[in-house]
Amino acid sequence: NLSYLVWSIDLPRDLKALRELGEFNKIAFLGSKYYLDGIPALKKGFSFMSKSLGLDLVNVPVERDVEAALKAIPANTQAVYLGPNPQLDLAAIERLAQGLIQRKLPSFSWVGRLEVERGILLGLGSPKDVERLTRRTAINIQGIVLGDDPGSLVNAFKLSEQLVLNMNTARAIDVS
C-alpha cells in the first residue's frame, strides 16, 4: 500500500447518456464479482443511486464465465451497464457484447472506447485512462521512494469524458 488513487463510477452521468437512447428503467449492472464482494458499499451505493434516479438496477456479478454472466441477466432487463471487469480480457468482452446484441440489449461501458470497439453500444471513457492511471501510480511510487511524504501525493483521479458509440451495434439492436 505504497500508493493509492481514488476514482469512481459516475452512475448518474453514465445512465443519463444511456437513457438518451431510450427510457430504460430496468438495468442490469454487470460488475466484477470480486469488486462487488470485496467492496460491499458498491452494492449499497448503486442501490441508493438507482432508487433516487427512479431505476430498478440489478447487480449481476461477473467472474470469468461470460455465458454464465449472460444467463444471470434477468429476462425483464431493458439495458445493461458494464462496470469494471478486469478479470475479462478483450476477447471475453467481445463475446459478452455479442450476447447482449443477440438479446437486443443496449449496453453502456464504464471503461469506454476499448469495450465499445468490441461491440458494447456506448461509453464515455478514453483508452488513455488506463495509461494515465498507470503513469500516476508510478509517479506517486517514485515520489515515495525519493522521500516525498505519501500524505502529500495526488490521489484523486478524474476519468475522461469522451462519448463513443458503436454504430454497428446500434444498427444490430435497432437503436437510433
Side-chain angles (χ1 to χ4, degrees), residues 10-29:
D10 189 345
L11 193 62
R13 177 204 69 179
D14 295 350
L15 291 176
K16 181 180 176 194
L18 179 61
R19 290 178 91 186
E20 286 187 25
L21 300 175
E23 204 50 42
F24 310 116
N25 295 316
K26 299 195 181 296
I27 299 175
F29 175 84

Side-chain angles (χ1 to χ4, degrees), residues 68-90:
L70 288 165
K71 286 179 186 173
I73 298 171
N76 63 349
T77 298
Q78 298 170 314
V80 171
Y81 184 107
L82 186 59
N85 285 286
Q87 76 283 7
L88 298 180
D89 61 20
L90 293 176

Side-chain angles (χ1 to χ4, degrees), residues 47-168:
S47 177
F48 174 78
M49 279 191 273
S50 64
K51 286 179 184 164
S52 70
L53 296 169
L55 301 173
D56 181 10
L57 187 95
V58 177
N59 289 310
V60 177
V62 179
E63 293 185 66
R64 294 186 186 275
D65 186 347
V66 170
E67 288 70 29
L70 288 165
K71 286 179 186 173
I73 298 171
N76 63 349
T77 298
Q78 298 170 314
V80 171
Y81 184 107
L82 186 59
N85 285 286
Q87 76 283 7
L88 298 180
D89 61 20
L90 293 176
I93 295 295
E94 194 167 323
R95 289 193 316 276
L96 180 62
Q98 289 308 309
L100 297 173
I101 289 168
Q102 287 173 356
R103 288 183 59 180
K104 300 270 189 205
L105 285 172
S107 53
F108 182 94
S109 167
W110 174 80
V111 171
R113 180 177 216 97
L114 290 174
E115 293 181 349
V116 172
E117 289 173 348
R118 299 312 184 279
I120 299 299
L121 177 63
L122 182 68
L124 284 171
S126 165
K128 299 283 185 191
D129 282 341
V130 173
E131 191 177 306
R132 288 178 43 242
L133 178 67
T134 304
R135 187 177 302 122
R136 172 48 54 198
T137 301
I139 289 169
N140 283 359
I141 291 172
Q142 179 184 27
I144 292 169
V145 170
L146 295 174
D148 292 347
D149 174 17
S152 68
L153 299 174
V154 173
N155 61 11
F157 187 79
K158 178 126 173 73
L159 297 171
S160 301
E161 291 187 23
Q162 181 181 23
L163 182 66
V164 63
L165 176 71
N166 186 315
M167 288 305 298
N168 290 331

